[in-house]
Amino acid sequence: MSLITDVRSIEGIKRAWPARAGIAVELVDRRGRLRAGLATDAGVAMSLYACDPVLGTIPVGEGELVVHRHARRAVVVADRFVTKHVRKGGERIACNTAVAGRIYRSWGLAVANVTDWSSTALTYTRLPGRSLGDLGDEGLDGWKALARAWQPTRDAALEPHTGAHEACILARWAEQARIFDTIGEDPRITEAVLDVSALLIEDIDTTHVVSHADLHDGQLLWDGTSLGVIDLDGARMAEPALDLMNLRAHAELHHLRGHLSAHSLDVVIGHIDDVASRMPTTRARLEAYLQASRLRLIFVHSFRPGASSWLGEWMDHALSAHSSTH
C-alpha cells in the first residue's frame, strides 16, 4: 500500500499535508484531543498533546487547540484571544497584519489586533462571528458586505506576488501529489497545470493591489452586522484576480459538497463579478486564476481523507471547466 493509503486509514484522522520526510497528519484522539504527527514508510509518530518537535510545548490554558500542523504551526482559540505558534517569522507576520489590517479597516472590515508577538508566537484579539464557509446559505449578507467594501488599494510595504509565483505554487502542489500518488496518473491534469501555468506567467504590465493571498470563505467572519477578515500572514501586492478567483473556487467547492445552494452560489458569483468589474483586471486574468485555484484545490484536498467521497466529482468539474476554455 502507498503511504497516503496508510494515512487515510489512521483512526481519528482529520487533515494531512505533504511534508519533507513524509505526510504530516492531524487527528482527534480517543480522548477528543487534537494531536499532530508525521507518517512515513516506517510508521506514524504522534506528538504528545500540545507538544511539537519544533514548536515545543504549546500553552493551551483555558483555550482550545484548533489547529496543529506537525513542525509548522498551531492555533489556540480562547474566549477573547487567539494565539498562533509558528516555526519562525513572527515579526514578518505581525508587520503584514498591521499593514494589511490598516487597509482592510479603511474599507470598513474588522481586523484582529496583534496584542503580543515574538519570532515564534503571536496573540490576536478574537473577532466575533462565524465564517462564511460555515454559514453557507445564511451568510449571503456577509458576501454582500464584502462586495460593497472591496476596493483596489495599493501599498508598497507589502511584498509582490506575481503570476509566476502562483504558477510555482501550483507546480509544487502538483509535484507533491505526484510524489505521494494521491490522485494517480491523469494526463488531463498534467496538461491543465501546464496550460494554466503558461497563462499565469503572462502578467506583464498587470496592476497589483493589496491582497490577502489566501482568501477563502473560512477567512471571513460574519456576525450579522460586521464582516471580519483573519489570517493576514501572507498579505501581498498581487493581481485582483488572485483573491477574487480563490474565493469563487472555494464557493464552487462548497456548492458541490452541499454546503451552499445553487441559488446562493449564483448570488456569491454575482457579488464577485461585481467586485471584478471595478478592479484593474481582465476576463483573461480572472479565468487564469480561477482555473489555477480549482486545480490547486484538487491537490490540496487529495491529501485530506474526508475528500474521497467528492474529490472525483471536483476533478471532473475543474477539468471540464478548463477544457471549455481551450
Side-chain angles (χ1 to χ4, degrees):
M1 290 194 301
S2 66
L3 182 57
I4 190 63
T5 301
D6 293 339
V7 165
R8 290 166 179 160
S9 66
I10 296 173
E11 181 181 0
I13 187 70
K14 184 179 179 184
R15 294 191 292 178
W17 301 267
R20 284 187 178 181
I23 297 178
V25 299
E26 181 188 66
L27 60 79
V28 178
D29 67 17
R30 293 180 179 180
R31 296 176 61 180
R33 302 173 306 182
L34 197 68
R35 302 267 298 280
L38 183 68
T40 67
D41 291 333
V44 182
M46 298 302 301
S47 298
L48 297 174
Y49 170 68
C51 293
D52 189 276
V54 173
L55 306 178
T57 301
I58 302 165
V60 177
E62 298 299 317
E64 178 184 3
L65 182 62
V66 298
V67 174
H68 189 178
R69 182 173 175 179
H70 174 83
R72 292 288 297 270
R73 68 173 182 271
V75 179
V76 175
V77 175
D79 287 342
R80 296 185 178 181
F81 65 86
V82 175
T83 301
K84 182 177 295 184
H85 300 269
V86 295
R87 292 180 301 171
K88 59 181 180 179
E91 180 178 14
R92 177 189 59 79
I93 294 172
C95 181
N96 273 13
T97 300
V99 174
R102 172 173 51 81
I103 298 298
Y104 288 130
R105 288 190 188 97
S106 74
W107 296 5
L109 302 182
V111 178
N113 294 312
V114 177
T115 60
D116 190 27
W117 64 271
S118 68
S119 62
T120 58
L122 301 96
T123 298
Y124 307 80
T125 53
R126 183 177 178 180
L127 295 180
R130 295 169 59 199
S131 75
L132 295 183
D134 287 343
L135 287 169
D137 295 343
E138 298 177 7
L140 293 184
D141 284 345
W143 285 101
K144 184 177 182 179
L146 177 65
R148 287 180 171 177
W150 206 316
Q151 301 173 34
T153 312
R154 297 173 178 80
D155 196 308
L158 296 173
E159 295 179 8
H161 181 93
T162 66
H165 288 118
E166 193 66 10
C168 286
I169 291 172
L170 180 60
R172 187 161 61 244
W173 272 107
E175 178 64 7
Q176 294 292 348
R178 185 196 64 78
I179 290 171
F180 292 104
D181 193 24
T182 59
I183 57 175
E185 292 291 335
D186 191 329
R188 298 177 304 162
I189 293 181
T190 301
E191 180 182 359
V193 169
L194 292 174
D195 288 344
V196 171
S197 297
L199 294 174
L200 286 171
I201 63 176
E202 296 176 355
D203 67 346
I204 299 174
D205 296 330
T206 55
T207 300
H208 288 195
V209 297
V210 172
S211 303
H212 185 287
D214 187 26
L215 191 61
H216 55 78
D217 45 18
Q219 310 279 36
L220 296 161
L221 305 181
W222 176 247
D223 66 359
T225 302
S226 65
L227 185 70
V229 57
I230 60 174
D231 288 348
L232 305 180
D233 306 19
R236 295 287 189 271
M237 290 293 292
E239 293 182 62
L242 174 67
D243 281 354
L244 286 167
M245 295 299 99
N246 198 48
L247 270 178
R248 172 167 170 167
H250 278 81
E252 291 177 354
L253 179 54
H254 274 127
H255 168 61
L256 181 143
R257 296 177 62 186
H259 301 158
L260 195 67
S261 70
H263 167 72
S264 294
L265 176 62
D266 286 343
V267 172
V268 169
I269 291 176
H271 287 315
I272 292 173
D273 286 346
D274 178 56
V275 176
S277 70
R278 309 194 306 264
M279 296 294 118
T281 188
T282 65
R283 177 50 56 186
R285 299 310 292 165
L286 293 166
E287 189 62 37
Y289 276 90
L290 177 57
Q291 293 178 26
S293 293
R294 288 168 174 158
L295 291 170
R296 188 180 66 253
L297 286 173
I298 293 175
F299 304 130
V300 171
H301 285 283
S302 71
F303 285 88
R304 307 287 169 85
S308 58
S309 63
W310 52 261
L311 186 60
E313 187 178 355
W314 176 253
M315 288 173 60
D316 289 342
H317 169 74
L319 294 172
S320 63
H322 171 74
S323 298
S324 67
T325 61
H326 286 75

